[in-house]
């Protein structure tokens, strides 16, 4: 048989672990995990389905191809296939399996990701949906994913409830419903066919090799995982349960409500006691606490503690942790397909609560020892303490430390560099405080943090966080301007002052707006500020300095609610559904700046690839480091400007710790 060049595949599997909670690594390490069907096609040829559940075997040449790093393997969401096949091959073909780990690393047991490609990543790169069904529909493929698949997967791939009618079984096998079994085989075959059809449809716009390289080290980080202090996690869950029981009893005693967790009953009780509200949201409760009578304030405060949901992350850790105490698969490559940024999965490291407790180590020790009484005495709110300690559940391996390093004001630096706002570049060159400098520019005075005119720094900060991408009064409000003490009547003047202080950034917004519109209207390439715009095959492409492209599906010129011209394109919008989205210059600038910031992080991760990166959060990298490694060396590597970003001033700062925290 001729040498196999590429292998497209799709599998149907069974496990008693909930995939949505445990993730593929936990799912596949269950003793009850198995692969039921293996669908594949060699070099784009006819699809074959191997019925492993019925005793059929995968041909030897295909087994050899799966472990051969010179054979490219394709799948939609290939992480699932790669991890599941890694476990299955280790169990069934240990003599053939070959991983890619070194002795000091924790990625052992998985097939080398460098031999894998992912059609879902390709779809995301093109701004398309992250589901096989969604991609097929948007691309108008002749072969579509079979809609009955979810029911078939629920029947064969998950445990079932034991009943008299089904003879008490807890799992459905092929012999339990031969008709459905034939249908799931057809479903498996169709998925491979659709995956190949997507490759053919997108062939004119391939993913660049350097992006595939980024995908591969993303998979390496996911394979490595990050260790959890499970003693601490389990105690946190128990303490949270005890705390919730105490809070519930306290509220019941004050209100006589059987179920104080009920939002409607609590709202009714508050109304009966003279305090009407439409919501018990965090902001609304905080506002009511300012004026509520003592008894109602006590109830609201207790209710707010009871409603705290961030402690659910401890439950997520418990569900997802693997047998070796590490949690894997917490990052999705290209999860944000407008910018290509990573998205969080399972525990969602991207939105961990900050920690402000001054005695963090002491609080952590009390939780780890299960001392709920001491926590209750020393701290006003046990749920708040548990929330602030979530980060500290992540720990390095024995004998190692964490080095945490992040970029300083990365988006502000990229925006200033692109727009050519020289006064801001001077601030960054001197490692100055951009919030003070902005306030000084806006109010024409000297502003020093904790010094001269320091009260103006907060206004500079609010404007920096709100106005860089065309934000106005609404953006300031959303960022908490009113809560920080600013008056409604001063918001518009603040917006005006920020824009007057940053004229080149404002010009950059509208230069991008013009370039996008001209490109779409005339279907010709345009350029501004080193950013290139092109139209091809129904897509708007924005080429970044790194060479990576942002894609916008089916762009066209429309009319906005003010009667002016606007750009619309198809994508996943605020409703989480595929829809037509409206955009304009400043919004495209936001995508561009965030995408370039993402590329800079990716460059830094490449340079630090062999330092055992275990996680990354926004613009921060977490390394499981040898005790001899220095923070300054890591920051020096991070702060190097990529060759494609000449003139951009980067700066990274870091610290070391024995558990993850925000320094």
């Amino acid at each position: 048989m001729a040498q196999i060049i590429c292998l497209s595949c799709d599998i149907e599997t069974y496990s008693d672990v909930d995939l949505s909670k445990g993730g593929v690594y936990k799912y596949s390490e269950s003793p009850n995990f198995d692969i039921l069907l293996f669908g594949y096609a060699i070099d784009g040829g006819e699809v074959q389905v191997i019925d492993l559940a019925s005793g059929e075997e995968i041909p030897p040449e295909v087994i050899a191809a799966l472990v051969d790093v010179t054979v490219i393997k394709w799948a939609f969401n290939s992480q699932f296939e790669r991890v599941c096949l890694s476990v299955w091959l280790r169990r069934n073909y240990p003599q053939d399996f070959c991983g890619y780990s070194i002795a000091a690393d924790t990625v052992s047991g998985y097939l080398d990701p460098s031999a894998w490609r992912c059609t879902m990543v390709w779809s995301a790169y093109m701004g398309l949906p992250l589901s096989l069904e969604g991609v097929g529909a948007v691309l108008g493929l002749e072969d579509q994913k079979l809609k009955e698949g979810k029911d078939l997967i629920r029947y064969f791939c998950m445990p079932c409830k034991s009943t008299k009618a089904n003879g008490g079984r807890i799992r459905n096998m092929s012999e339990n419903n031969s008709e459905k079994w034939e249908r799931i085989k057809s479903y498996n075959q169709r998925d491979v066919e659709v995956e190949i059809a997507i490759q053919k449809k997108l062939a004119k716009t391939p993913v660049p090799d350097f992006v595939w390289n980024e995908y591969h080290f993303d998979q390496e980080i996911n394979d490595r995982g990050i260790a959890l202090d499970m003693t601490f996690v389990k105690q946190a869950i128990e303490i949270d349960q005890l705390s919730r029981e105490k809070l519930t009893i306290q509220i019941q005693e004050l209100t006589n409500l059987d179920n104080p967790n009920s939002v409607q009953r609590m709202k009714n009780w508050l109304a009966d006691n003279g305090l009407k509200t439409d919501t018990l949201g965090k902001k609304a409760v905080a506002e009511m606490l300012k004026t509520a009578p003592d008894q109602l304030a006590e109830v609201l405060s207790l209710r707010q503690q009871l409603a705290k949901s961030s402690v659910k992350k401890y439950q997520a850790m418990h569900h997802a942790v693997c047998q070796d105490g590490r949690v894997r698969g917490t990052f999705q490559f290209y999860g944000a397909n407008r910018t290509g940024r990573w998205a969080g999965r399972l525990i969602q490291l991207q939105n961990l609560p900050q920690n402000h407790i001054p005695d963090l180590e002491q609080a952590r020790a009390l939780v780890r020892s299960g001392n709920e009484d001491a926590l209750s005495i020393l701290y006003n709110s046990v749920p708040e303490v548990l929330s602030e300690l979530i980060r500290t559940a992540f720990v390095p391996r024995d004998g190692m430390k964490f080095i945490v390093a992040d970029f300083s004001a990365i988006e502000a630096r990229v925006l200033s560099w692109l727009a050519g706002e020289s006064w801001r570049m001077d601030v960054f060159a001197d490692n100055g405080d951009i919030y003070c400098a902005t306030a000084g520019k806006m109010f024409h005075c000297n502003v020093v943090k904790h010094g001269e005119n320091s009260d103006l720094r907060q206004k500079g900060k609010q404007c920096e966080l709100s106005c860089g991408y065309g934000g106005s009064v609404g953006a300031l409000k959303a960022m908490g301007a009113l809560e920080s003490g600013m008056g409604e009547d001063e918001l518009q003047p603040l917006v005006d002052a920020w824009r007057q202080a940053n004229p080149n950034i404002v010009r950059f917004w509208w230069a991008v707006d013009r370039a996008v519109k001209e490109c779409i209207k005339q279907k010709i390439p345009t350029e501004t500020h080193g950013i290139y715009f092109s139209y091809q095959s129904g897509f708007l492409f924005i080429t970044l300095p790194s060479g990576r492209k942002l894609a916008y599906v089916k762009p066209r010129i429309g009319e906005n609610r003010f009667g002016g011209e606007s750009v619309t394109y198809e994508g996943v919008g605020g409703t989480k559904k595929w829809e037509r989205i409206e955009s304009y210059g400043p919004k495209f600038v936001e995508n561009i700046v965030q995408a370039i910031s993402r590329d800079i992080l990716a460059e830094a991760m490449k340079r630090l690839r062999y330092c055992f990166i275990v996680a990354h959060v926004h613009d921060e990298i977490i390394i499981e480091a040898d005790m001899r490694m220095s923070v300054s060396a890591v920051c020096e590597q991070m702060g190097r400007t990529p060759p494609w970003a000449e003139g951009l001033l980067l700066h990274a700062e870091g610290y070391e710790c024995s558990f993850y925290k925000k320094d």
Side-chain angles (χ1 to χ4, degrees), residues 567-586:
V567 175
T568 65
Y569 60 91
E570 291 183 7
V572 178
T575 63
K576 305 296 182 186
K577 295 178 181 177
W578 191 257
E579 59 189 3
R580 189 152 281 277
I581 300 167
E582 186 178 305
S583 194
Y584 68 125

Side-chain angles (χ1 to χ4, degrees), residues 104 106 224-230 324-327 364 368 390-404 611-615 622-627 629 655-661:
T106 56
R224 181 173 297 121
I226 182 169
L228 288 168
D229 182 344
M230 288 308 295
D324 63 354
R326 300 178 79 86
V327 62
R364 187 182 189 280
R368 199 173 193 276
I390 287 170
R391 290 173 187 266
T392 74
F394 297 101
V395 293
R397 278 181 285 164
D398 289 345
M400 303 188 84
K401 64 184 178 182
F402 278 156
I403 289 180
V404 183
C611 294
F612 299 158
I613 298 171
V614 292
I622 306 165
I623 294 170
E624 193 172 57
D626 185 284
M627 288 296 187
M629 188 182 292
Y655 54 94
E656 58 184 53
C657 47
S658 57
F659 49 75
Y660 182 45
K661 61 182 179 179

Side-chain angles (χ1 to χ4, degrees), residues 480-655:
L482 297 179
E483 288 83 354
S484 68
M486 296 184 198
E488 181 96 36
D489 58 345
E490 65 178 312
L491 299 186
Q492 188 59 55
L494 282 173
V495 172
D496 295 339
W498 189 91
R499 292 181 180 181
Q500 287 163 13
N502 295 278
N504 288 328
I505 291 176
V506 175
R507 280 193 280 272
F508 178 42
W509 296 342
W510 303 117
V512 167
D513 193 73
R514 288 190 296 273
V516 168
K517 287 175 180 173
E518 185 182 0
C519 176
I520 295 170
K521 285 178 186 175
Q522 301 187 37
K523 295 183 173 50
I524 58 169
T526 57
E527 181 271 339
T528 187
H529 293 74
I531 308 295
Y532 295 85
F533 307 84
S534 57
Y535 185 95
Q536 180 187 343
S537 305
F539 289 85
L540 166 70
F541 291 104
I542 299 178
T543 304
L544 305 171
S546 65
R548 191 168 65 90
K549 293 180 179 180
L550 306 183
Y552 298 83
V553 182
K554 299 176 184 176
R556 65 180 184 223
I557 303 296
E559 187 177 291
N560 62 29
R561 62 185 185 278
F562 306 111
E565 249 183 4
S566 72
V567 175
T568 65
Y569 60 91
E570 291 183 7
V572 178
T575 63
K576 305 296 182 186
K577 295 178 181 177
W578 191 257
E579 59 189 3
R580 189 152 281 277
I581 300 167
E582 186 178 305
S583 194
Y584 68 125
K587 192 66 183 173
F588 283 113
V589 166
E590 180 179 26
N591 289 172
I592 290 164
V593 170
Q594 291 184 348
I596 292 173
S597 300
R598 172 257 182 229
D599 289 348
I600 290 165
L601 178 69
E603 289 279 350
M605 287 164 68
K606 284 180 193 175
R607 287 194 293 274
L608 296 166
R609 185 170 184 172
Y610 300 107
C611 294
F612 299 158
I613 298 171
V614 292
H616 48 95
V617 182
H618 301 304
D619 306 311
E620 176 184 84
I621 293 175
I622 306 165
I623 294 170
E624 193 172 57
D626 185 284
M627 288 296 187
R628 296 165 295 181
M629 188 182 292
S630 75
V631 173
S632 59
V634 171
C635 291
E636 190 276 328
Q637 287 296 317
M638 270 191 81
R640 284 169 52 192
T641 301
W644 46 261
E646 187 178 352
L648 173 61
L649 302 172
L650 296 176
H651 180 70
E653 296 179 340
Y655 54 94

